[in-house]
Every structure is written in structure tokens, then in C-alpha cells.
Amino acid sequence: MTRLTCPFCGPRELREFEFHKTLPEPGSTPYARVYERVNRLDDSLEHWQHVQGCRGWLLVRRNPSSGAVLETVILGGGAQ
Amino acid sequence: MNGTQRRGTRLTDTSLRFTFDGREYCGQVGDTAASALLASGVRAMGRSVKYRRLRGVLAAGPEEPNALFTVGTSPAVIPNVYAPQLELRDGMVLKSQNRWPSLKYDVASLLQVGSGFFGAGFYYKTFIWPSWHRWEATIRALAGLGEAPGTCELPPPAVEHFSCDVLVAGAGAAGLAAARAAARAGARVVLCEREPVCGGELEFEFATIEGRPALAWVDATLVELASLGVRVLTDTTLVGGTGGEYVAHHEPGGVPGANSVYKIRPVAFVIAMGAVERPIAFINNDLPGVMLLGAAERFLARYGVMVGSNLVLFANHDRVYAAATRLASAGMRVCAVVDIRDSGALGAEATAQRATLAQGGTECLLGYAVISAAGGSHVRRAIVAPLASPSATRVIACDVVLVSGGWGPSAHAGLQEGGTTRYEEGLAAFVAMDQPEGRENAGAANGLLELPRVLIDGAGAGTRGARRAGADGDPGATPIASGDPAPRLVPFWRSPADRAGEKRQFIDYQNDVNVADLRATLEEGFVDIEHVKRYTALGFGTDQGRIGGLLGAAILAELRGEPLKDVGTSRLRPPYHSVTMSSLAGLRVGARLRPMRRTPLHDWHLANGGVLEPMDLWMRTRYYRQNGPAVFEAGIAEAQRVRTSGGIVDGSTLGKIEVAGPNAAVFLDSLYLNKASTIKVGRSKYMVNLREDGMVLDDGIVLRLADDRFIATTSSGHGGHMLSHFEHYRDTEWSGRGVTVTDVTESWGVIVVAGPQSRTVLHSVLGAAWQPVLDTLTHMAFARGAFGGQDLTVLRASFSGELAFELHCRPSITVALWEALIAAGFKPYGLEALDILRVEKGYLVSSELNGETTPFDLCMDGLVKLGNPCVGRDLLDRPAFHESDRPRLVGVRALDGKAIFYGGAQLTTAEQPNRPCGYVTSSVYSPTLGEWVGLALVSRKQPEGAVLDCRDPVRIGDCRVRLTSMVHYDPTGERMKS
Amino acid sequence: MMAVTQISGNGIELVERPIGRVLEFVAFHFPPEGAFVVGWPAAPGAVRHDTLGGPGLLHFAPARWLAPSPCAEIAALVAAAEEAAGTCVDVTGKWREFALGGPRAGRVLASAVNVEAVLEGRECAAITMFDCPCILVRVTDGYRIWVRSSFATDFIAAVQSLRLPA
Amino acid sequence: MTGPTPHYSALALLRARLAGGGFWRPLWTGRLLKQAYDVVVVGAGGHGLATAFHLARDHGLKVAVLEKRLVGYGNVGRNTTIVRSNYLLPENHYFYEDSLRRWETLSKDLNYNVMYSPRGVVDLALSDGDMIGAARRGNAMRLAGIDCEMMDRAALDRFCPELVASRDRRFPIFGALVQHRGGTVRHDAVAWGYARAATALGVDIIEDCEVTGLRTAAGVATGVETVKGYVQANRVLFATAGHTGMIGTMLGVTLPIETHLLQAMVTEPIKPMLNTVLVYVHPGHGETYLLQSDKGGLVMGGYLDGFPSYTREGQWSRMEDVVQGAIAMLPQAAGVKIVRQWAGINDMTMDGSPIIDRLRYDNVFLNAGWCYGGFKTIPASGAACAKLVASGTAPDLIKAYRLSRFETGHMLDERGGGPFPVRL
């Protein structure tokens, strides 16, 4: 489990971020988008917010079994 | 044993007085509680948890399982302080633990008699009748070690977060070599050491480094480290951490006090925390006077204490002879060295030392074992026998038995974050491996015990750490050294014993786990080490298995007839050493648990009789003392005054989000049930938004400042969630599409002026410029201007049902405006009164918007029908939300117009008295209507006018109520619109 | 409003500085695009200094800049940018400004966060210190800190209650 | 095959003392994996073992419990041992109360002392709104015949003097909802007690036997693939708690479950200091529940770590949050030392209530989604789930815990937090 690198603020302690949810499968029904959760063991796509920093929303790819953070992308501003 | 002319590296000549169990002793500055008591001839220092056996000090570090003291006088005592770590101070008051009435005479120790009765897990098999709870009080009184503190006056710790290139934990030979190499290479190094002094085993080992005695080398190295800017933190233990940030805990003097917590983020981390010596199990190996070999050496070297006069040493490796030589040269008589190995196993150096010892009169027995120790309250005799014929025992008179079964590397830190272990044959122990990037073990922690190899390993780790941090200077030559011989250890875990003897061969001292317990555990099918640990409490003590964990696993392997490497040890969990709770709590203690958010009027409320209460992180005024003896009366008086003439309330905690940009309107449409895009500039609308699952999330007024600019107000309690909710949709679905979201909660103080006289008072306060505006402002419209040179928005909106105006003004003028209104004759009211006014009007707050209600439940069908597609809308058509008994918001009053009922009462029908059909969400005494009125969420099957039982068994009991319309007062709202 | 010294002693100087009008400019796109970028502190954590030499325009969040008491030049820059690339919000009253100086200023902040890591490769950073949302800038004589105004009183109390060993 | 264990009692302890060994028997080990069973239960945690016990005792079925690692090594051995039935919704409080009543007699029913200690559970209220919420829950409980009591500060001072309810705090205590029959149970004893009783009824509990797949034919499950070979079964029950997400993936079903790490920690043992269970949820997004174990250690836990994790290594900062809450309650404990921290892997559903229902196939069942409430519901879950698996229809007590409830809108959301298990 390492730090989470906010693309804007740089590497920060994980306690500064809040997890929102794992992303639903693309194209799923409204029910599935809200209630179902994709539980991949080693490659989880998630939305987080850097609440104690720039308050930016991030797309984070993590390995929930090892705790490693694989990739972070800033969402706002039409970036992706 | 006279303590006067003791010479130890830590000692000074100044003497100290302290008391232990009421008796006065003296020690010297630099002594610990353990060293001073040993020097004063005290042996018994504690009692074990389960059998309460009398115990002496076993080890010389925080892994000490027996000698734990309670420090200080009740009620402000500190329990379970490790005697070998507790630095003595003049006048210190120490008490032994877990004994009544005294350490020497403990009544409950009679339990030992029935020790067979109380084998491992006995309590699972008994105390079933009449019930466990009946026996529990007695058992809990017997259990536990230290005294429960009644008060605690510890200051919060000093906390420091910082980065460095190379963090080295442990300042023994390996750690010093690592720190020096890294620092010389130009890296920024931090070295933390658990003990007050550096050097580790170098303190007593026969060792020369770079041609100098080891301790001289240690001192020289520390001087060099200082010159290279290395930060050396003594009395500082590496206790844990997550994600590459490591936590070191500084507890000076070994007792909680002015502690510090360091949060260190290194590029590279070298674990050089050494190894922990383990005992060999023999009968009565817990008698006071049985001690680990290394402990005796440290007491001698550091504190000048001779732990006994006549010693018997018992080991399975060559280093026992070097130790015997040192102890003898200090004047202690080494009666015998009992070595389980045969002569072929010894190295040259040990053979020579053995010969010298023999000439000095020491019996050097090979192929022998100490079968048992004896002597009543402390060691007086050791019974030895050849391993070949264990019954051919011989007695050797002695007052101390020093035992050493080898060393277990401190693998704790190395096992976190993916670390695993490998079995090291030569050590008969497990070493941590598979370390994450930038972390490695060095020296004894890496399974190396010979000084030359320890120094090479340390220097190598330090250099690799420096390189990883980009420091490419010359780390200098690895120090040439010579030290105690290679152990040439032959694994040996316990001396021969019959079944009765096995009951007194102790493995985990603190919880009295003996060999017989392991045998019984196997009998009951608890085979895996994790099961054995949980069943017998092996490794549950404050030492967390440092003393008995490996020993227990090895003996379990022997009983299972399997190799130790297949049995393994139980999983080591953080913290790596016990940590004082006040240090863990850091700065968030007392009033600092969380910051207190203050409105611009906070100080005025405090100065003018305001009684403030927490709401989220804010503090809000509940009522003003001058309006009544308590909240109930004051609330009624303040509410009545608003209805009759008027009053002002601080609404600054209202959440305010400014949404701007060309797509601001359609963005808000996508989040709210009703449309923001239809609001005309200069007007506002009551808006409701949904959570993703269709439940109502929040409601509030949205003002349109311009075509492309709105202010959305949110309820105070939901502040954080609403802002994140807006920001989430703005950053995902609306990313880059001309919408911006800005929190402006603190940019505007809010003063609500409510009551029939509110317009008149505002006239007098706001002055002529505002005259025409105030007279023409229609309901839900607002005007923007200034007051005292700062922006002021006046919004005509009412939460009390009276004519009311919300003044949104900059914080710098909020107090001035408020005081002007006070001067103009309006008095303040608080939340209690606000609640009365809004319940009378049937307006909603978080008790109704509680995350469980759909818009239909809250009678907002009209808003849903408008068909505005928004977040949460498409899950509203789920069948449950349209069932006949789905709740609906209604008004509620006492049937007789007099009865009292509160929010939280349940509503039942006569037919189903035990299955509520609804509950009262809010209830107030209405001074205007002269009775209690409330709001309730009740099944749709119950129409308006229905009479129900209002059940409140946990408070004031039951009464009968009838359902009414939600609006109890001025249903047409003409007072508000006048 | 003039500067108020909140704390002065044992190596710490905490002075609350007067703060007037405060703007937050939010661009529609991140990373910021368009002509307005010229003269703007476009990089994350970049700061443009105002005519008095102090931090005038702080890029403290994605496509979000703080302009505390903007000088005429910066006010003009912001107004120009608002035409094309984003919106400007007058947040006056939202932030209170502090100057933290003295030899132990760094140690004060280290009680809350790893200052070096937070400011690495940046001139300003949005960071929560002592549980108070802040914007932190390193300046020649210490640090300039903007604290959300409802938290400011407790921010001062938190610094006051620190026990910093010698 | 070793014989059944002798009846446990003080007398048995004396007879064992005289026999000097060889008197006791393995509780569950030593069973051989057969080819086929009526029911295969996957997961030897609390719910798997209790269901197997009831399937054998109440329905006479031939049952195997297949465990990836060790009996009781998962959440049943990793929680903070609290039992209570102080729930708001009828669908929950009747079920949790059924469980609490079973706790009261379980030691006798299993002939294994699980150390049920009704020392009370105190939900502290830190605002007027909390008091109203507590009353709403308390009144609903009393109407359902479940004991509880509202206490103001004076009553709290009498019931729990060590709390000093009127002490000045950042978030002052207004009062509390107290369930006197709530309390603690020794968690390991529950797993071992059920394992022993089930084995005595002929259930085969097989450890180190990971289930790697489900074999199906004609739309019906026929058995499970394991590391020890294929086992044929008429019905299969998955009771794997934190690993339920993987079971969903194995069966091609995306479940409304997020797997989260929940920490707990214990101090060194001290003499009795706290005689009840305290729960302190404060508006600064902090929660701590605190009790003292019979061995003398202060046991405490709080919120989830807050993001999906199977590492069982908690965030240091969350341990700090929990300890901060504990000191807010008992400042006198600030000088006591934490010696150990551990974590369970909790399967959190989207409304905080469990799922006991069929899973994709008519003869495949799921007992999971236990969120924070897994330990306290083991006895009731075992009995009710056994009825469902044996008869095919869910007893009334657990009808509401169907998987389809989210799609139909019949969520059981005690907190009103919606489909966000981590939102504080």
C-alpha cells in the first residue's frame, strides 16, 4: 500500500483521499450502475476524491490484494 | 551485593531513592528499575497472569514478560511499564502487579496447586452452569496485570512529519554501519534506537572494530554521524506505519510522559533491529533467578550489576563460553557451563575459553542439560544430567541459571506489506524476506550473528539505500572487525522431562503456557500454529511471542513429528512494539478531537447568553439564557416573540455553492428534481435533489444571480456530502462542459430577520437606498446592494412562516449588521425556537430528510411529475416506493389537544399494537397553538384524521394522536406573503 | 483591518494579515488551455507574484486559482480570462491569511504534515493542517497560509497548544 | 476416525487430570472428505459452521464444510466480539433478537462455554437529534419485545461511572440508548463450539480445502471443484464473508457487495476498568466502540478503512482515529499501551443488511453481506439459513434478506446512508 499520487497535488498520504465507489461495468442498467460492485481481486477501477487537498475527483486503478496503486487520472476539466 | 562501587556505562555516582511495593530502595542515576532492584538483591518482581507464579526479571528489553510495574500513585497510575526499560527517577513509586495482598503472599497463587485442572482452554469446558456471567466478575478480577488507571494527565505527544533518504531502525553494529555508509555517501540519514544508548550487543561483546574496542568505535561513529548531519533518535522505537510512511515512538525514560511521535517517509529503510534471545524450556525455568544470558551481560556492562554470585550457564552454542569468561572476570563465580553439544561441535576459540574456565574451577559439561531449577522462592540449585541418561541427575548449588537457546531475528517490521519468512538452518529461526522496493533487513535482523558479516551487511544495506536516494558519494571502507565467535548452534528447545515435569516447562512466561499445554492442544485437534496460539494464548502477552513464539512453534513441531520450517510461527501484527494510546491519539485529544467551525457571530453569541451546541463541526446557538431557565422555556419565548413582533437568527452555517458557467443551469437541472433553468434572474426557488438511489438527499433555495450564475444553498448538516456530490458530477459527466462549482459557505454570513415587524426594522437599519427594494420585494425574490461598503443580498424567503428576509452579507460586516438589528429592537432566537416555528409550518429538516424517504414519501409528487430527468430519478419507479403501506409525511397532534409527545415516538393501530405503522419525526410545543404539534411519516393506509396510539415506552409513555395536515399554522401562508 | 500578531514566542511568529477582496478563478478546462494562459501560473502549484512581491495568483486546485487582495494587474488578468476560459467567483471572507515565521515555523507545520513532501516541486499546495483546510505557500521569511475562515480560530489554537521539544 | 469428545464439565476436567492425558478428543479434525454430500458448505466461519450444525441437527442431512484455510481463521476470529439486537427496522431487530436469545443458551446447547457476557451495550448520543434517533430505535425495539432503556447523563453516571458522562468533551454526551442484554461473546469459542457440535453430528469439516469452482449441469449445480478433488453435492451454500465478491465472479454474478477492511485493536491486560460496551459516533466522521475483554485488554474498533482491500493490513491513521475516540470516552486510559492490531475483511452490502438467498442456481445458496453485523448474527443465521437450504423456502425471519430487494426497492437501510458503505 503506497501513497496515492494526485495528478495535481503530487504524492500524498492515503488518509487525505476518500473512496467513493468501484466503477460499474460500462453500459449496465441504472440499477446495476448504482447497486452492483465489480470486485476484481487485483485490478480495481475506482472513483476517489482528494478531500484534504485540491478536492479534485480521481480515477484510480488499484490492486486491492496487494494494496498497490497502479494509476491515477484527474477527472475534472475535460482532461480524459 | 553492595551496589555502591558499581561501574556501568550508564551509571553516574548520584544516588536515587525510590520505593517498590512500599519499601524504600536506592539506585544510581542511569539505573533502570530492574537494575536497581537487582543491585539491591531483590529477585521477585511480579506474578504471571494465569497461575500467578512468582517471577523475576528474565530479559533486559521490552520483551520482558515478568517484571512489569505500575508506576505512580493511584488514581494517576501508569500500568505495565517494563522494568528493564524504566529509567529510575528520584522518589519514583513502583508497585508489582497481579498479586493480592502482596507479591510474596498472593492468595490466588494457590491456583497453582490445581494447575492440572487449569490446563489450556479449561474455561471453554466449564463455567457453563449456572451461567458464565455469574463467574465472570471473579475471573476478571483475577485476570489482567497492571492496575486500572483512574485518571491520566499525560500531555499530548509532540508530532513531527518529515522525509529523509535512508531511515535506519536500530543502532547496533549493523545499524551504525548502515547509517555511516549512507551518510558518507551523502544521503540524509535518520537513525532511531529503542534503547537510551547505542551499540546493542557491542556493549558487552568481545569485539574490536577498526582496531579499537567496540564501544570506542561506537562513540567515534556517533561523533562522525553527527558531523555528517545524521539525526540520531534514542529512546525511539520503530512501531509501525503504512504505505512507506514509518512511525517511530519516542518515550523517554521508558514510561509514558512527554512522548514524541515521528512520521518518517524515507526513500530507503534499513531494518537493523537485531535479534531476540530465546530460552530453553526446562522444569521450573520460571523461578526468579533464571535469566537470559544476554540480559545478565547487559545488566553487568551497562549498570555494573552482578545478577548473582554463583552462576550456572546453560546453552547450545559457542558464545556461552565468551559470556562465561566475561561474567567470571567481573567477579561472579561460574559454577558450571552446561552445553548440550558434544566436544566436536565447539570451535577453536570456544575450546580455548572452555579450557581457561575449567582451570578457574568452572565445571564445563558437554552433552549435558539443565533438567530443572529448584529453590522455593528463587534459584538455589540447578539439577543437571547427561542427555544420554537424563535420569542420572546431579545437583549444582547456585543462585542464578543463565540460559540461551539462540536468537530469533526481529522480523516484525519485515513481515508487513507483503514480507514473508524463510527458515534459516544455522540459526534455527525465521528471517524476513520478499521485502518491498527500498526496504531490507541487515545484521542480526537478517540472520547474521558474526560481527564482521554483520558490519558488511549493514554497510551494504546503507550504501544501497543511499544509491536508491541518488546519493552517490563514497560510503568508505567496510569496517574490519573481530567479535564473539560464530555460534555453531545446535538446535535444542527443551530438556528431557516426564509428563508431570512438562507442566512446569514454561514457553510463554506471561500467560503460563507450558509444554503440557501444547501436548493437550494437539490431543484436541488444534494442530496449526494459529489455532495453538489462539487456544493456549501463546504469544498473546505484551511481548507478543518474542520470548515464547519460536520456542512454542519448535516444541509443537517436535510433538507433531514435523520439521519446524513446515510448522512456521504465527503471524506477527503491528505495532512492532506496544505503543501508548496517548501517543497514537496524537494532537486530537480533548477539545482538539476536531476543530470547531465558527460563524462570524460566534463570539457575539457567547458574550450575549447564547448556549451553543455542536452540529456537524459547527457550533450553533440552541437558545439564549436570558429568555428562560432552560432550553424548553427559552425556545417557546423566543418563538412566540418571532410570531408576535420578530427576531433574528444566525443562519451562517447554511451551505452555499456558487455554480457558474454557460451550462450552469442545465447542470443544476441534472442534479435537482425540479428545474433551475426556469428560475428568472433575481428570483429563487425551493429545490429538492435526490441521491443516486432515488432517496431525497437535500433541499434548499437556489438563487439565480445571472443567466450563468447561481447560488445553491444546502442544509447545514449535509455540507460535506452535497459539495462532494456537486463536484463529482461536475468532474465526471460535466467535465470540460462549461460548469464551475465553488464552495462559498464562508464567503457569506446569513442573518435571518423574521416576524411581522421585520420589514419595518430593516427599513430603519438598511437606510434609504434599500427603501423601495424592501417595499416591492416579492416572496422568493432577492435584491443585491451593499451595507457598510460591503456586498449585501436581501432574499425574501421564510422558514418560520412569518414575513422574513435572509440577509447574505460578507463576514466582515455581519456583526455590525447584526448589532444594528439588535439596536433597532429585534432580539435573537436560537435553533430551539427555529424548530418550533418550522414544525408549526410543516417545513422539513434532516429528521425528515433522513436518507430513507423518497420524494413521494415527502408529498413531493408534484415535483416528480414535472419529468425533469435528474440523478436518482430513474430508480424512483421501483415497486416498493409505490406500495400501499409506504410511509407519507403528515401532521400529528394530540387527540385531546393536551397530551405531550416527542419526536422518535412510534405510531401503532389497535389492530397491530406491536408493528408500528409510522413514527413521529419531529414534535414541538407550539406556544401559538397552545399544544404539541408534530410531523410524522405514517403508512399511506392511514388517512388524515386517523387516530393512532403514540407509543413512547422508553420516555414518557403512550397517548392518542390524530393525523392532520402537515401545516399546523397559517396554511395559506398569507403571513409570509403579506 | 491591520495585521494582528496571534502568537509570538519560542521561535514562532504567527501573524494574521489583513485580507480584502478575494477571487477564485475557475477555468472550464484542465490543464488550462487558450490564450489566457500567457502570464498565468498554469502549472499545478504554480504561483505568480503580485506587484508587491507577495503571492498574487495561486494555482492551488485543478483549473482553480486564488487571487487574495488582487493588485490591479492581477485583477485585470482575471477579468480577461473570465471572458474566454472560465468564471470568476468573489469569495471574499472565505479565507483568512496568516504569515508563519520564526526559526521553528517549519517545525510547527511538521506537527501536521510532511511540509517538504507536500511542497516538493510546487510553490503552493492545498493541504489540511490540524484538520483545517489550508493553502500553503513557502515565502522567503517562512510561510504564508490561507485558512478557511470558519476554521481559523481553531487553527490558531492548535498552533498555540503545540508542545515542541527543544 | 476418532470418537466424539466427552461431555465438558468441571467433573470432566477432574477426570482428565486423573487420566493424565489421552482423555480429550479432537474437536473436529481427522475427518475424511467423502465423495458426495446432501449439502456442501463453503467456508468454515461462524455462519458456515452454524448452518452445517443446524442442517445436521434439525434436518438430518449429510453435510461437508470445506474451508480454504482453518476453522475460525476469518472474520469470526477477528471481530470485537460484540453481540446486541438494538436495531431499528423490524426485519432486522426480530432477526438479531432471535440471535441474542440463542446466545443466551448457546453454551448449554453446544456444551461449550462461549462466555456470553450480558454487560450491556451503550450507544452514546452526542446531540438532541441523536437522542430522538435513539428513542425512535428504542421504542421500535420495545414494541417488538426487545429490552432497551434510554439513559440521561445521571443514569449513565450510575450505570457506567468510569465514563463520567458529564465530563467536558469536544462532542458532549447527551445520553444513551442502552441494551442490557447486549454484551460480548468469546469469538474463537463460537467457531470451535459449533465445529465440535457439528462434527459430533456427523458433519465432515475439511480444512486446507479451497473450493475453486462450481460444476453445473442442466442449469443445476452438481458439486464443487476443490484443491482436493471434485465433491458432488445436491445443494451448495457459500458462506465466505469477505471473499463473497470472488464467489460472485466465479458464478458470473455481479453482487451488490463491496469488500472492505475493518480493523480492531487491543491493549495490554489491566485490571477491570470498563464493565460495559461503549459506542461513540461523533460528527467529525469518527466512530469507536470500546470494551474490556475478560483477559483484561481494552478491545476497540471503529469505521472501515474505507476502500476495497483483501490485504488484512489496516491503515495506521485509522488505528489512530479509533484510539482518539476511545480516549474521548475514557481519558484515563491514555497511558495504557496498544499491543496488537488486526483486521477482518467485511462484505459490505448496499444497505448494510445481509443477503441469505439463492444465488443464480436453484440449489446454490448465499449467506453473506454481513457488513458490521456478522458475528452477532451467527446463531440465528445458522438456524434460519439451514431451513432455507433444507426446505428450499426462506423462513419468515429472513424473507427480507433476499438478493432482489435492491432491484424492487425494499432496501433495509438502518442508517439511511444509501448505497455507499463507506460514506461516514
Side-chain angles (χ1 to χ4, degrees), chain C residues 17 47-57 68-74 97 144:
Chain C
R17 293 168 55 84
V47 170
R48 174 191 167 116
H49 291 273
D50 60 21
T51 44
L52 306 172
L57 198 54
S69 320
C71 59
E73 192 195 352
I74 286 180
E97 184 174 321
R144 195 69 56 79

Side-chain angles (χ1 to χ4, degrees), chain A residues 1-3 13 15 20 30-31 33-35 47 49 55-57 75-80, chain B residues 161 242-245 265 417 692-693 720 723-724 727-728 730-732 735-736 874-875 878:
Chain A
M1 182 50 101
T2 175
R3 282 187 292 191
E13 300 305 331
R15 53 179 172 265
H20 179 58
Y31 157 75
R33 275 203 305 279
V34 171
Y35 282 98
H47 274 174
Q49 186 179 20
R55 292 193 67 81
W57 277 85
L75 287 171
Q80 88 276 40
Chain B
H161 301 73
T242 320
E245 179 189 62
R265 179 161 286 284
E417 286 170 289
E692 283 81 351
D693 60 347
L723 183 60
S724 289
E727 289 168 331
H728 186 209
R730 182 246 172 248
D731 279 8
T732 49
S735 160
D874 38 28
L875 286 183
R878 289 184 281 175

Side-chain angles (χ1 to χ4, degrees), chain B residues 439-458:
Chain B
R439 184 172 92 195
E440 57 179 294
N441 295 284
N446 199 24
L448 303 172
L449 293 176
E450 289 126 275
L451 187 55
R453 296 178 62 197
V454 164
L455 290 169
I456 292 165
D457 197 35

Side-chain angles (χ1 to χ4, degrees), chain B residues 287-503:
Chain B
L287 211 53
V290 175
M291 202 180 282
L292 287 168
L293 186 59
E297 292 225 73
R298 170 161 293 165
F299 281 123
L300 176 64
R302 188 180 293 181
Y303 306 103
V305 171
M306 294 201 276
V307 293
S309 318
N310 301 295
L311 317 178
V312 167
L313 275 59
F314 175 33
N316 59 348
H317 53 75
D318 268 10
R319 294 209 163 164
V320 70
Y321 298 101
T325 311
R326 287 190 283 265
L327 295 168
S329 65
M332 288 179 261
R333 183 165 166 278
V334 180
C335 312
V337 176
V338 179
D339 184 346
I340 56 108
R341 299 170 302 161
D342 52 38
S343 62
L346 274 72
E349 200 174 331
T351 310
Q353 287 165 339
R354 185 164 175 276
T356 322
L357 284 164
Q359 278 152 19
T362 302
E363 257 194 293
C364 296
L365 305 169
L366 286 176
Y368 264 70
V370 170
I371 299 300
S372 67
S377 67
H378 66 85
V379 170
R380 289 191 173 79
R381 298 175 302 285
I383 291 88
V384 299
L387 284 174
S389 52
S391 50
T393 56
R394 247 185 349 98
V395 175
I396 302 176
C398 62
D399 59 356
V400 164
V401 173
L402 299 179
V403 62
S404 174
W407 299 267
S410 302
H412 222 121
L415 283 180
Q416 307 312 321
E417 286 170 289
T420 58
T421 58
R422 71 174 188 281
Y423 182 69
E424 194 63 39
E425 280 302 332
L427 271 176
F430 293 88
V431 180
M433 58 183 233
D434 299 335
Q435 297 301 292
E437 272 291 307
R439 184 172 92 195
E440 57 179 294
N441 295 284
N446 199 24
L448 303 172
L449 293 176
E450 289 126 275
L451 187 55
R453 296 178 62 197
V454 164
L455 290 169
I456 292 165
D457 197 35
T463 308
R464 281 187 294 279
R467 296 295 182 254
R468 183 178 157 78
D472 50 14
D474 173 13
T478 311
I480 311 297
S482 72
D484 276 354
R488 303 168 70 89
L489 178 137
V490 169
F492 186 76
W493 309 98
R494 72 187 183 101
S495 301
D498 59 20
R499 287 296 166 76
E502 284 181 355
K503 291 202 178 81

Side-chain angles (χ1 to χ4, degrees), chain B residues 733-867:
Chain B
E733 281 153 39
W734 292 84
S735 160
R737 292 173 52 194
V739 182
T740 69
V741 167
T742 302
D743 179 17
V744 291
T745 302
E746 287 138 313
S747 305
W748 303 97
V750 173
I751 303 173
V752 178
V753 184
Q757 308 299 329
S758 44
R759 182 181 284 114
T760 333
V761 162
L762 275 179
H763 275 313
S764 69
V765 167
L766 294 186
W770 284 91
Q771 210 72 32
V773 171
L774 290 172
D775 293 341
T776 58
L777 206 58
T778 56
H779 184 58
M780 298 301 276
F782 63 91
R784 300 169 79 187
F787 177 82
Q790 291 283 340
D791 310 329
L792 169 65
T793 302
V794 175
L795 163 68
R796 209 179 131 192
S798 177
F799 200 53
S800 57
E802 293 306 324
L803 170 67
F805 300 82
E806 276 189 20
L807 312 184
H808 294 209
C809 53
R810 296 296 181 188
S812 53
I813 55 158
T814 306
V815 174
L817 185 51
W818 175 274
E819 284 179 337
L821 290 161
I822 296 281
F826 261 21
K827 291 192 170 39
Y829 60 96
L831 281 184
E832 183 72 5
L834 186 64
D835 210 33
I836 293 171
L837 300 168
R838 70 96 191 170
V839 171
E840 288 173 340
K841 286 299 291 176
Y843 293 138
L844 314 183
V845 290
S846 56
S847 20
E848 286 76 35
L849 306 179
N850 54 18
E852 306 164 33
T853 43
T854 71
F856 310 117
D857 302 344
L858 300 174
C859 310
M860 298 173 178
D861 310 56
L863 297 184
V864 183
K865 267 209 300 315
L866 290 178

